[in-house]
Amino acid sequence: MAMAQQELQLPPLVEPGPELSVEEIERYSRHLIIPEVGMVGQRRLKNAKVLVIGAGGLGSPSLLYLAAAGVGTIGIIDDDVVDTSNLQRQVIHGVSDVGRLKAESAREAIAGLNPLVSVQLHPVRLDSSNALEIFSGYDLILDGTDNFATRYLVNDAAAILGKPYVWGSIYRFDGQISVFWEKYGPNYRDLYPEAPPPGSVPSCAEGGVLGMLCASVGSVMVTEAIKLITGIGQTLLGRLMIYDSLALTWREVKVRKDPDAEPITELVDYEAFCGILPAGAASAADGSAISVRELADMLASRDRGQAEFELIDVREPGEYEIVSIPGSVLVPKGRIVDGDGLAPFAGKQLVFHCKTGVRSAEALAAAKKYGFEAAVHVDGGVVAWVEQIEPAKPTY
């Protein structure tokens, strides 16, 4: 990252649509009396087609405010279903939506807010086989996904098609927002040329997120979308905004295009590019995973005095307080990786588990490096344990 090029006034992304109806004039009157927006700007919004990737934490406020603003066509990509744990931050969904497709739930909420908006659903998993086709039908993309493989995919597909997109990211109390447009400035690869090592950046599901942070970051994402569509103001192209909600501060980092970067001409295998697991963890886990039912049998044998092993939970203390597997000992992954947490278990058989199996595979790789060759980890982690062994316990 370095100093950006001189700020560029971008042209309006969308041509004005048809004249506004009486109903539309009444609905959008507070926009119409803003000189920078006015009738023409609102007609551009009416004519715009915006694709939102994910109807989750950032997608929820984004979808609602795009609809309220009068964006004529809104697309939603999401193949997930609403879970109770989503309701803490994904405000477009309600209790009655639990178990429903998020895309369908979001469409219903939008219809209740603004029936003048057309909603197009794409209840699929975004990947290299469908990204270009889906993106081609929209003027602008909003990306609020929480994994690096999808972020690079969105970036590359948008660059190939010459489309701008607004990117947002949240974690615990912090948020980041920027605009990327290959035609006029940097793209996501200029900000993050390489994906971070797998497992080094926890997802919101692992690290948590303050629910209200979604509203703060999502509203800025929609503000940038409106500015791009109408051609008003200075966008975040070439700038990264970093929000610290605990200190209530915004910090700006300039971003410039890498003049030596290879042009983006095709989509690749993004899970391979980012790595689902570190190479060492993947090889260590190969053949060293047990199921939760096997673990239940092992724990029963240990209770009868017929087996000896240590079940080590490598999650964080806050996760352990929510739910745990009986007989487990909490040793966070960081202490396993640096070796300090393994000292009390010298010479013992070790079984690692986490939430879903990713962090435990990394802990397993570290343990084998430190000489615990017979160690194993639990496939599916505590989530699988609750689903299959103790369904009365909570998940998160």
Side-chain angles (χ1 to χ4, degrees):
M1 294 183 288
M3 294 302 294
Q5 64 279 4
Q6 187 176 3
E7 288 185 345
L8 176 67
Q9 181 64 49
L10 299 172
L13 183 61
V14 178
E15 291 298 316
E19 295 293 332
L20 302 181
S21 66
V22 172
E23 181 182 1
E24 288 171 327
I25 291 174
E26 292 178 347
R27 175 181 282 269
Y28 307 123
S29 61
R30 297 304 186 272
H31 275 176
L32 303 181
I33 59 179
I34 301 175
E36 291 84 356
V37 180
M39 283 285 190
V40 173
Q42 193 63 48
R43 288 167 55 200
R44 293 187 195 277
L45 293 172
K46 179 179 180 177
N47 204 30
K49 297 180 179 180
V50 178
L51 177 66
V52 177
I53 303 174
L58 292 176
S60 290
S62 296
L63 288 165
L64 291 172
Y65 275 109
L66 288 169
V71 170
T73 301
I74 299 174
I76 306 172
I77 299 180
D78 201 315
D79 68 340
D80 197 9
V81 298
V82 180
D83 182 80
T84 302
S85 66
N86 301 149
L87 303 182
Q88 164 256 8
R89 65 201 176 282
Q90 300 180 18
V91 295
I92 203 167
H93 312 296
V95 174
S96 62
D97 298 313
V98 172
R100 298 179 63 196
L101 277 172
K102 289 183 179 179
E104 293 180 353
S105 170
R107 176 173 60 183
E108 188 172 293
I110 290 172
L113 175 65
N114 189 352
L116 304 178
V117 171
S118 173
V119 180
Q120 298 179 353
L121 300 189
H122 306 276
V124 298
R125 181 177 178 84
L126 186 69
D127 58 33
S128 297
S129 70
N130 57 28
L132 293 174
E133 180 181 359
I134 294 174
F135 284 18
S136 64
Y138 296 89
D139 304 302
L140 174 66
I141 296 104
L142 269 65
D143 176 22
T145 54
D146 66 352
N147 68 88
F148 285 94
T150 305
R151 290 171 184 171
Y152 283 101
L153 167 61
V154 172
N155 177 78
D156 293 359
I160 290 171
L161 295 171
K163 296 182 183 292
Y165 75 99
V166 182
W167 169 75
S169 174
I170 51 175
Y171 178 67
R172 290 187 174 169
F173 301 101
D174 302 324
Q176 297 183 9
I177 314 102
S178 193
V179 170
F180 300 110
W181 197 352
E182 178 76 2
K183 182 178 179 181
Y184 292 103
N187 63 60
Y188 185 76
R189 289 181 180 271
D190 295 311
L191 178 61
Y192 294 112
E194 298 180 357
S200 64
V201 181
S203 68
C204 291
E206 294 176 350
V209 61
L210 186 70
M212 294 66 73
L213 181 66
C214 302
S216 301
V217 174
S219 65
V220 176
M221 292 175 68
V222 176
T223 301
E224 291 303 297
I226 301 305
K227 287 155 60 179
L228 286 163
I229 292 167
T230 59
I232 63 175
Q234 292 289 340
T235 72
L236 285 177
L237 183 66
R239 298 185 291 155
L240 172 69
M241 294 302 297
I242 302 172
Y243 177 51
D244 179 345
S245 65
L246 282 183
L248 202 60
T249 59
W250 291 90
R251 180 166 61 92
E252 178 180 309
V253 176
K254 302 293 185 181
V255 186
R256 71 172 176 85
K257 193 172 183 63
D258 181 359
D260 299 321
E262 293 291 329
I264 300 169
T265 58
E266 62 180 359
L267 303 182
V268 299
D269 183 337
Y270 292 92
E271 291 195 346
F273 173 73
C274 294
I276 300 174
L277 284 175
S283 60
D286 187 23
S288 297
I290 63 172
S291 70
V292 291
R293 296 197 179 279
E294 288 176 301
L295 174 61
D297 291 340
M298 291 173 64
L299 288 170
S301 295
R302 189 175 72 172
D303 290 342
R304 294 192 299 267
Q306 298 172 339
E308 289 188 14
F309 65 92
E310 291 287 347
L311 175 60
I312 300 178
D313 186 333
V314 302
R315 298 174 299 155
E316 296 300 313
E319 297 175 90
Y320 189 83
E321 289 180 5
I322 295 172
V323 61
S324 63
I325 297 177
S328 61
V329 177
L330 178 66
V331 185
K333 187 191 75 175
R335 296 190 58 219
I336 301 294
V337 171
D338 64 23
D340 291 344
L342 292 170
F345 306 109
K348 296 184 178 181
Q349 165 69 29
L350 301 185
V351 179
F352 297 102
H353 89 81
C354 63
K355 180 180 180 180
T356 60
V358 175
R359 283 173 285 174
S360 59
E362 298 169 40
L364 175 64
K368 290 193 173 186
K369 183 180 69 174
Y370 290 117
F372 293 85
E373 292 296 334
V376 297
H377 85 118
V378 181
D379 189 25
V382 73
V383 170
W385 178 271
V386 172
E387 289 177 349
Q388 300 179 40
I389 309 299
E390 293 189 274
K393 286 189 171 181
T395 57
Y396 63 101

